[in-house]
C-alpha cells in the first residue's frame, strides 16, 4: 500500500454478528439477509487488514453516525455506471449499513466491506464504487429531490476516497455516506438474495485480507499493459508477467501484483468469471442454431423463488467438424480430465481421437463441477449421442478411477440409454501412476509399463515373474524385515509364485468384473500378483486386448493433452474464455493439419502419413534380416502359411485373400487382404509387422494391402477436410450478452478457497501454476521417472 499505516483509533470490540441491512427505495422492498458474522478484534497489520464489519444501525440514533446508503443494481443499463449521476440513483435498490470508521479506512478496506455486505468473492475484479454528496442532505436521502445538488465522486484511489470522507464528515457534522456499487455479482444481488437464494460461498470473507502493494482491489494497473499479450498467450505465468513488465515497460511489480493484474486483464478482455456462466450457454446455443451438426447439452437447476435465474452445473459441446473427423479415425476415444484453477472449481473433460498420423483431435468437451459417477455417466451418454451415433465397437480408453469405471459399467447395461457395445480399456499412463503411488519405485514403475505394452506371451511372463520377485523384496524391505527373513520368505513362496504366474491366473482374471481394489489393505498386497489380481488383463494389457480394440493405443498422457496447442494454458481462465479459445485454436489447428495432409497426399514419395511411413521404413530395414524357410498352402487360392526364421526363433505368418462380387462393376470382384502373425502385432496394431513385410518382399506382394484403411493418406485428408464457418460464429460471441430469461449463474458453493489472500501466497501460487501447467497432476505425477530403454522386440 503506497499510503503509510494509520493508527487505529477506538478499535473496540464489535458485535460478533450484525442484523440484516434494510432495503429502501421503492415499494415491495424486502429485508436483505445478513452477510455473515463480522470480524472480531485483531491487531491491525496495515490499512488492508482492518476489521471491516460495523455496528448495527440504531433507529434511535441521528444522522451523526457512519450510516451508509449503498445503492446497487444499475449494471443492466449497458455500461451506464461510468457516466451515472445522482439522478440515476432512483433506478437503483439500496441497502443501509454502518461503516466501521471511515477516517481510518483505506479504499481497499471499503471494498472489502462491500464484498462482505453483498457476499461477493474476495477477488471481485470488476468492483466499482461511486460516492455522492450534498451539503443540504436531510436525514434520509431522497434521490428524487436531491439529484440536482448531488456531487459525484469516482472512488478509484485512496486520495479520492480520503477527500470524499473529509467532505462528508465536514464542519456541518454530517456523517451519512451515499455510495453506489457496480459489479457483475452485485447486479443480481436483490433478485437472488431477496427471493430466497441461499447458496452460501465457501470462501470466508470475515477475515478478508488483500495482497500487498495494492491501492485498489479492482485497479486496472498494470493490467492494461498485459491485456493484449495475455489474450495471445493466456498461458503466461506470473514469473513471465513480472519479467515482461520490467523489460518492456520498466514497471516493477511483485508476484502478488502480477497475479492480480493477470486476473484483471482476463476480465477486461473476456468478461468476469461470473458473467461467463451466462455467456457460454447462449453462445454455444447460437452456434448450434447457426451451424447444423454442432451438439450442446447442459445441466442446470432453477433457483428457488427466482424463475429468471438458473444455476449452470455442467455443459457439454462438440463441434460438427470434429464429429465428422472422427468417422475417418480409428474407433478409439481417449477420455482425459483436468481440474480448473480459476475463481470457481470445476473439471474440464476432453474426448480425444487420433488421426492416421497419430495427431490429436479433441472431439468433445465438457465442464463439470466435480468428478462423480453421475457426472461421468452424463458425459459418456452425450458422447454416445453426439459422436458415436450408429458407429459400433468404439473403444473408450479412460483413467483407472472408481467413479468413471462405475459409470462405464452402468452405461453398458442400464436403461433407458444403454451403450451395450462399448469397449472399455484403461489408460496405462494413469494405471502406472497408481502403481507408482503404491510402491514408490521408478524402476518398478517402468517395468510395469513394459509389461502392459508387451505383445508376446513369453516376454510377458518373464516380466511378470520379475515384478513378483522385486515387489516381494520391496515389501519386505519396506517393513523393515531382516535380510535373512526376506530370503527365507522368497524361497518359501517359490511354488506359490509359479501358481500366481499369468499363465495360471489368466482364466480367473479374465472373467472378473472391474472391482474396487482400493479396499485391500497394504498388508494383503505382498507382491505384484496380489496388486494386479482384481484388474482384468484385457483392460490394461496389450497382449490380452480383445480383438485389438485399442488399435495399439495404450493411452494418452495428461501432460501431452493439456500442453497441446489447443488446450495449453486454459485451465485458470473463465469458462467463457476457455470455450472461446478452444474454438479459435481449433480453427487454426484445422487449417494447419489440413494443409499438412494435402501436402502429404501430393507427395509421390509418400505412401502413408509421415509417422506411419517412418514406422514402415524401420520395419522394411528390419525385414531384411529375416529369412523365409518354408511355405505351406492350406488353400492355394485363398490361404497361405509361411515359416519365417529370425535370429534366435521363428514365427508363423498367415496370408489370406477373400473375394466378393462387386455391385457397381459388371465384371470382376473385390479382393480383401488379411494377414496374421504369431508375434500378435498385426492383430493388435492393425499394421503389418516386419515378418509379414519379409514374406511380401520375397513373394512379390505389396505390404500396403495389409495396412488398415485408418492409416491411409485418404483417411488423413478426409479427417481434416472440413472448414469452420466463421461468418456468424465469431460475431455471435461479441454480440451475445444478458438478454431474455433465463440468466445463468455459477454455483456459489463452487467458489475456490483463495489461499493467495494470505501471506502464504507465493508458495501456494507457485504450486497452483505448476499443477495447472501439468494438466492437474498430483504430486506423484510430478516425479521424474528414471529413463529405461526397452529391449528391442523381434518384429
Amino acid at each position: 500500500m503506497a499510503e503509510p499505516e494509520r493508527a487505529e483509533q477506538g478499535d473496540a470490540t464489535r458485535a460478533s454478528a450484525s442484523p440484516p441491512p434494510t432495503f429502501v427505495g421503492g415499494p415491495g422492498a424486502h429485508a436483505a439477509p445478513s452477510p455473515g458474522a463480522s470480524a472480531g478484534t485483531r491487531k491491525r497489520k496495515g490499512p488492508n487488514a482492518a476489521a471491516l464489519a460495523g455496528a448495527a444501525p440504531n433507529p434511535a440514533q441521528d444522522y451523526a453516525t457512519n450510516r451508509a446508503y449503498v445503492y446497487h443494481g444499475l449494471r443492466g443499463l449497458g455500461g451506464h455506471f461510468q457516466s451515472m449521476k445522482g439522478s440515476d440513483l432512483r433506478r437503483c435498490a439500496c441497502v443501509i449499513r454502518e461503516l466501521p470508521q471511515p477516517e481510518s479506512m483505506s479504499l481497499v478496506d471499503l471494498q472489502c466491506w462491500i464484498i462482505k455486505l453483498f457476499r461477493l468473492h474476495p477477488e471481485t475484479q470488476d468492483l466499482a464504487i461511486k460516492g455522492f454528496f450534498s451539503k443540504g442532505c436531510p436525514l434520509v436521502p431522497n434521490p428524487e429531490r436531491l439529484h440536482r445538488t448531488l456531487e459525484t465522486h469516482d472512488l478509484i484511489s485512496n486520495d479520492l476516497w480520503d477527500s470524499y470522507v473529509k467532505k462528508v464528515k465536514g464542519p456541518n457534522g454530517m456523517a451519512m455516506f451515499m455510495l453506489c456499487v457496480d459489479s457483475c455479482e452485485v447486479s443480481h444481488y436483490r433478485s437472488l438474495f431477496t427471493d430466497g437464494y441461499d447458496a452460501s460461498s465457501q470462501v470466508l470473507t470475515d477475515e478478508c485480507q488483500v495482497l500487498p502493494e495494492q491501492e485498489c482491489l479492482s485497479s486496472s494497473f498494470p493490467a492494461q499493459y498485459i491485456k493484449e499479450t495475455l489474450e495471445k498467450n493466456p498461458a503466461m505465468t506470473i514469473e513471465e508477467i513480472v519479467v515482461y513488465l520490467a523489460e518492456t515497460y520498466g514497471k516493477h511489480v511483485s508476484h502478488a501484483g502480477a497475479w492480480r493484474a493477470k486476473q484483471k486483464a482476463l476480465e477486461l478482455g473476456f468478461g468476469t468469471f461470473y458473467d461467463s456462466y451466462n455467456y457460454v450457454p447462449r453462445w454455444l446455443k447460437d452456434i448450434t442454431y447457426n451451424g447444423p451438426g454442432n451438439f450442446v447439452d447442459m445441466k442446470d437447476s432453477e433457483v428457488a423463488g427466482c424463475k429468471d435465474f438458473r444455476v449452470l452445473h455442467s455443459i457439454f459441446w462438440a463441434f460438427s467438424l470434429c464429429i465428422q473427423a472422427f468417422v475417418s479415425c480409428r474407433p478409439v476415444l481417449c477420455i482425459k480430465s483436468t481440474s480448473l484453477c480459476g475463481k470457481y472449481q470445476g473439471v474440464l473433460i476432453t474426448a480425444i481421437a487420433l488421426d492416421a498420423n497419430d495427431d490429436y483431435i479433441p472431439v468433445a468437451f465438457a465442464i463439470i463441477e466435480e468428478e462423480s459417477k453421475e457426472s461421468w455417466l452424463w458425459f459418456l451418454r452425450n458422447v454416445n449421442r453426439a459422436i458415436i451415433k450408429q458407429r459400433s465397437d468404439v473403444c473408450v480408453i479412460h483413467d483407472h478411477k472408481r467413479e468413471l469405471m462405475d459409470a462405464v459399467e452402468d452405461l453398458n447395461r442400464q436403461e433407458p440409454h444403454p451403450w451395450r457395445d462399448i469397449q472399455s480399456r484403461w489408460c496405462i499412463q494413469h494405471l502406472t501412476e497408481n502403481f507408482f503411488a503404491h510402491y514408490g519405485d521408478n524402476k518398478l514403475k517402468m517395468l510395469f509399463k513394459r509389461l502392459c505394452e508387451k505383445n508376446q506371451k513369453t516376454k510377458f511372463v518373464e516380466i511378470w515373474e520379475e515384478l513378483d520377485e522385486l515387489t516381494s523384496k520391496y515389501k519386505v524391505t519396506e517393513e523393515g524385515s531382516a535380510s535373512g527373513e526376506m530370503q527365507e520368505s522368497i524361497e518359501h513362496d517359490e511354488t506359490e509364485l509359479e501358481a500366481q504366474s499369468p499363465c495360471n491366473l489368466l482364466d480367473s482374471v479374465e472373467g472378473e468384473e472391474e472391482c474396487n481394489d482400493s479396499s485391500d489393505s497394504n498388508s494383503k498386497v505382498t507382491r505384484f500378483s496380489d496388486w494386479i489380481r482384481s484388474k482384468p488383463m484385457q483392460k490394461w494389457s496389450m497382449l490380452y486386448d480383445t480383438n485389438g480394440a485399442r488399435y495399439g493405443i495404450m493411452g494418452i498422457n495428461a501432460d501431452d493433452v493439456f500442453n497441446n496447442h489447443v488446450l495449453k494454458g486454459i485451465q485458470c481462465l473463465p469458462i467463457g474464455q476457455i470455450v472461446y479459445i478452444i474454438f479459435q485454436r481449433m480453427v487454426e489447428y484445422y487449417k494447419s493439419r489440413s494443409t499438412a495432409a494435402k501436402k502429404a497426399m501430393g507427395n509421390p514419395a509418400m505412401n502413408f502419413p509421415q509417422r506411419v511411413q517412418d514406422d514402415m521404413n524401420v520395419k522394411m530395414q528390419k525385414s531384411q534380416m529375416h529369412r523365409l524357410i518354408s511355405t505351406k498352402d492350406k488353400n492355394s487360392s485363398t490361404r497361405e502359411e509361411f515359416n519365417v526364421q529370425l535370429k534366435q526363433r521363428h514365427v508363423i505368418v498367415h496370408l489370406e485373400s477373400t473375394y466378393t462380387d462387386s455391385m457397381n462393376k459388371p465384371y470382376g470382384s473385390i479382393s480383401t487382404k488379411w494377414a496374421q502373425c504369431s508375434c500378435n502385432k498385426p492383430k493388435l496394431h492393425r499394421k503389418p509387422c516386419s515378418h509379414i513385410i519379409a514374406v511380401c518382399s520375397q513373394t512379390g506382394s505389396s505390404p500396403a494391402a495389409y495396412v488398415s484403411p485408418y492409416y491411409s493418406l485418404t483417411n488423413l485428408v478426409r479427417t481434416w477436410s472440413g472448414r469452420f464457418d466463421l461468418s456468424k460464429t465469431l460475431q455471435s460471441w461479441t454480440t451475445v450478452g444478458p438478454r431474455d430469461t433465463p440468466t445463468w449463474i455459477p454455483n456459489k458453493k463452487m467458489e475456490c478457497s483463495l489461499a493467495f489472500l494470505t501471506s502464504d501466497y507465493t508458495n501456494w501460487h507457485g504450486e497452483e501454476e505448476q499443477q495447472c501447467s501439468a494438466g492437474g497432476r498430483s504430486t506423484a505425477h510430478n516425479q521424474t521417472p528414471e529413463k529405461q530403454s526397452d529391449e528391442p522386440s523381434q518384429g
Side-chain angles (χ1 to χ4, degrees):
M1 188 67 65
E3 158 183 352
E5 179 174 333
R6 303 185 181 93
E8 183 77 23
Q9 299 179 358
D11 190 11
T13 303
R14 298 182 175 93
S16 61
S18 54
T22 306
F23 273 95
V24 297
H30 302 280
S34 171
S38 61
T41 304
R42 56 191 174 94
K43 184 178 179 180
R44 183 182 181 88
K45 298 180 180 179
N48 292 340
L52 302 176
N58 188 350
Q61 292 177 334
D62 58 12
Y63 61 89
T65 62
N66 298 326
R67 184 173 299 178
Y69 288 75
V70 185
Y71 293 87
H72 64 91
L74 196 67
R75 186 174 179 82
L77 300 180
H80 185 65
F81 185 83
Q82 296 300 325
S83 59
M84 74 169 294
K85 300 187 182 301
S87 58
D88 296 318
L89 292 178
R90 54 188 164 184
R91 294 192 278 185
C92 301
C94 181
V95 177
I96 303 175
R97 190 68 185 273
E98 203 80 10
L99 282 174
Q101 290 184 353
E103 298 92 338
S104 60
M105 292 178 68
S106 68
L107 180 59
V108 171
D109 295 331
L110 175 67
Q111 290 176 320
C112 290
W113 182 79
I114 295 295
I115 285 172
K116 292 174 58 182
L117 178 63
F118 291 99
R119 302 183 184 182
L120 305 180
H121 195 276
E123 281 305 309
T124 301
Q125 296 289 324
D126 65 333
L127 180 62
I129 307 175
K130 287 181 178 289
F132 298 89
F133 170 76
S134 175
K135 294 181 179 180
C137 187
L139 178 63
V140 178
N142 186 347
E144 296 286 348
R145 296 169 51 189
L146 295 177
H147 66 273
R148 295 183 179 179
T149 59
L150 287 177
E151 300 178 8
T152 305
H153 297 258
D154 291 307
L155 306 180
I156 59 176
S157 68
N158 276 322
D159 292 339
L160 293 176
W161 165 245
D162 291 340
S163 175
Y164 176 71
V165 171
K166 292 176 181 178
K167 183 168 288 190
V168 172
K169 299 180 73 70
N172 59 356
M174 190 191 80
M176 184 179 65
F177 295 84
M178 297 178 63
L179 306 173
C180 190
V181 179
D182 182 45
S183 172
C184 61
E185 295 184 64
V186 172
S187 64
H188 298 154
Y189 176 80
R190 186 177 187 184
S191 300
L192 290 171
F193 285 91
T194 61
D195 289 336
Y197 181 59
D198 194 25
S200 301
S201 169
Q202 292 182 346
V203 181
L204 301 178
T205 60
D206 289 331
E207 296 291 333
C208 186
Q209 297 180 347
V210 297
L211 301 177
E213 303 176 10
Q214 299 297 316
E215 293 187 359
C216 178
L217 280 173
S218 56
S219 173
S220 60
F221 173 83
Q224 55 186 330
Y225 295 103
I226 63 173
K227 177 177 176 291
E228 293 184 1
T229 304
L230 200 61
E231 289 178 355
K232 296 178 182 178
N233 180 22
M236 282 185 71
T237 63
I238 300 304
E239 289 76 12
E240 291 173 343
I241 292 176
V242 171
V243 174
Y244 173 79
L245 290 174
E247 294 180 350
T248 308
Y249 299 100
K251 304 293 183 181
H252 299 279
V253 297
S254 66
H255 283 65
W259 182 89
R260 189 182 298 283
K262 180 178 181 179
Q263 305 307 306
K264 181 63 178 178
L266 291 176
E267 293 192 356
L268 289 174
F270 287 90
T272 67
F273 282 86
Y274 184 92
D275 272 340
S276 64
Y277 277 81
N278 192 33
Y279 294 157
V280 166
R282 300 179 185 279
W283 184 69
L284 288 177
K285 286 181 176 292
D286 282 347
I287 66 171
T288 302
Y289 177 78
N290 294 326
N294 297 315
F295 184 91
V296 175
D297 188 33
M298 62 182 180
K299 289 174 61 178
D300 58 6
S301 61
E302 183 177 336
V303 177
C306 300
K307 64 179 181 179
D308 295 339
F309 290 88
R310 299 190 70 85
V311 177
L312 181 63
H313 299 291
S314 305
I315 189 162
F316 175 100
W317 72 98
F319 302 120
S320 59
L321 286 189
C322 300
I323 298 174
Q324 296 170 11
F326 181 63
V327 176
S328 302
C329 298
R330 284 161 281 180
V332 180
L333 282 176
C334 299
I335 309 297
K336 284 297 174 182
S337 63
T338 186
S339 298
L340 301 180
C341 48
K343 182 174 177 179
Y344 297 97
Q345 299 176 34
V347 180
L348 172 64
I349 307 176
T350 309
I352 300 169
L354 280 80
D355 70 359
N357 198 39
D358 280 342
D359 286 320
Y360 295 156
I361 306 177
V363 179
F365 311 87
I367 294 177
I368 60 176
E369 289 186 345
E370 60 182 358
E371 295 187 62
S372 63
K373 176 183 173 181
E374 291 72 22
S375 60
W376 278 117
L377 195 59
W378 173 80
F379 173 79
L380 292 173
R381 281 175 176 167
N382 278 324
V383 168
N384 191 22
R385 291 168 54 199
I387 302 169
I388 307 303
K389 295 182 179 178
Q390 304 301 323
R391 194 173 185 181
S392 61
D393 297 329
V394 172
C395 177
V396 176
I397 301 178
H398 55 84
D399 291 345
H400 183 255
K401 297 178 180 178
R402 182 72 262 151
E403 300 84 4
L404 183 49
M405 292 190 298
D406 288 343
V408 172
E409 188 176 338
D410 285 0
L411 193 64
N412 200 5
R413 63 189 182 191
Q414 284 190 352
E415 298 291 345
H417 302 293
W419 187 352
R420 300 193 185 280
D421 58 351
I422 184 174
Q423 301 291 319
S424 169
R425 299 292 185 269
W426 297 343
C427 174
I428 66 165
Q429 302 289 346
H430 187 265
L431 187 62
T432 301
E433 296 299 339
N434 289 351
F435 179 80
F436 177 78
H438 183 81
Y439 287 101
D441 186 271
N442 272 316
K443 181 180 179 181
L444 293 177
K445 170 184 172 181
M446 299 307 296
L447 197 60
F448 173 66
K449 189 173 182 180
R450 289 174 56 198
L451 177 72
C452 296
E453 296 172 344
K454 284 302 174 185
N455 58 285
Q456 298 177 25
K457 191 170 184 178
T458 54
K459 294 183 179 180
F460 185 87
V461 173
E462 289 175 4
I463 297 177
W464 183 300
E465 292 177 348
E466 185 179 359
L467 277 170
D468 265 343
E469 181 179 358
L470 292 176
T471 51
S472 297
K473 293 179 180 179
Y474 178 87
K475 276 299 180 183
V476 173
T477 303
E478 186 182 53
E479 294 169 0
S481 300
S483 59
E485 295 178 352
M486 176 183 65
Q487 185 64 28
E488 181 181 352
S489 175
I490 295 175
E491 293 175 355
H492 177 73
D493 291 336
E494 282 183 348
T495 55
E496 183 181 354
L497 174 63
E498 182 180 354
Q500 290 181 339
S501 68
C503 299
N504 297 318
L505 283 175
L506 179 59
D507 294 337
S508 60
V509 171
E510 280 188 330
E512 292 182 6
E513 296 289 337
E514 300 178 28
C515 57
N516 189 356
D517 56 297
S518 60
S519 60
D520 296 337
S521 62
N522 291 338
S523 60
K524 297 180 181 179
V525 181
T526 58
R527 62 181 62 199
F528 170 72
S529 293
D530 300 328
W531 184 83
I532 202 68
R533 182 188 297 276
S534 60
K535 301 172 178 61
M537 287 186 180
Q538 68 270 20
K539 299 292 184 181
W540 56 268
S541 169
M542 171 72 79
L543 177 62
Y544 294 102
D545 179 26
T546 307
N547 298 325
R550 290 178 175 268
Y551 278 74
I553 302 172
M554 297 304 292
I556 299 178
N557 196 329
D559 296 358
D560 297 336
V561 173
F562 294 103
N563 286 332
N564 182 270
H565 171 70
V566 175
L567 301 173
K568 184 177 181 180
I570 64 175
Q571 296 95 307
C572 295
L573 306 180
I575 65 169
Q577 190 171 4
I578 289 175
V579 175
Y580 186 68
I581 287 181
I582 286 176
F583 178 80
Q584 282 189 316
R585 289 179 176 177
M586 286 299 295
V587 173
E588 299 172 2
Y589 194 57
Y590 256 77
K591 288 182 180 179
S592 62
R593 293 291 93 206
S594 177
T595 302
K598 292 177 180 178
K599 183 178 179 180
M601 189 70 175
N603 187 351
M606 295 187 64
N607 298 319
F608 302 98
Q610 186 63 55
R611 290 191 177 95
V612 180
Q613 185 75 58
D614 293 342
D615 181 51
M616 293 291 287
N617 291 340
V618 172
K619 292 177 180 178
M620 288 286 290
Q621 295 179 359
K622 194 173 183 180
S623 67
Q624 296 175 5
M625 298 183 294
H626 305 332
R627 185 168 59 93
L628 184 62
I629 58 177
S630 65
T631 303
K632 180 180 180 181
D633 295 343
K634 289 197 173 182
N635 187 329
S636 58
S637 62
T638 60
R639 184 177 177 86
E640 295 178 290
E641 180 181 300
F642 302 90
N643 193 339
V644 180
Q645 179 66 47
L646 312 181
K647 288 183 178 181
Q648 299 178 353
R649 62 188 182 94
H650 65 88
V651 296
I652 304 300
V653 173
H654 295 278
L655 300 183
E656 184 175 354
S657 300
T658 57
Y659 299 90
T660 56
D661 294 334
S662 174
M663 300 296 294
N664 299 324
K665 298 179 180 180
Y667 304 101
S669 59
I670 299 176
S671 174
T672 302
K673 302 289 187 178
W674 178 86
Q676 189 55 278
C677 180
S678 58
C679 73
N680 282 331
K681 284 188 176 180
K683 173 186 175 182
L684 300 174
H685 296 271
R686 310 296 178 96
K687 291 183 291 187
C689 59
S690 61
H691 317 131
I692 293 177
I693 294 177
V695 172
C696 291
S697 62
Q698 297 184 41
T699 58
S701 58
S702 172
Y706 303 103
V707 179
S708 170
Y710 292 122
Y711 298 105
S712 66
L713 284 172
T714 303
N715 272 38
L716 181 65
V717 173
R718 287 175 182 171
T719 300
W720 304 105
S721 60
R723 179 178 298 179
F724 283 90
D725 182 10
L726 306 181
S727 59
K728 297 180 180 180
T729 306
L730 292 178
Q731 181 181 3
S732 63
W733 176 267
T734 59
T735 58
V736 72
R739 50 192 181 198
D740 296 338
T741 58
T743 298
W744 283 281
I745 61 174
N747 186 353
K748 291 283 284 184
K749 293 180 180 179
M750 301 305 296
E751 287 182 345
C752 296
S753 299
L754 302 180
F756 44 73
L757 293 178
T758 68
S759 59
D760 296 331
Y761 160 78
T762 303
N763 294 334
W764 180 91
H765 185 73
E767 295 175 359
E768 178 207 42
E769 285 211 331
Q770 290 176 6
Q771 183 178 9
C772 288
S773 63
R777 296 175 297 166
S778 63
T779 305
H781 294 171
N782 294 328
Q783 302 290 337
T784 303
E786 297 178 359
K787 293 185 179 180
Q788 181 174 346
S789 59
D790 196 359
E791 57 180 326
S793 59
Q794 297 288 346

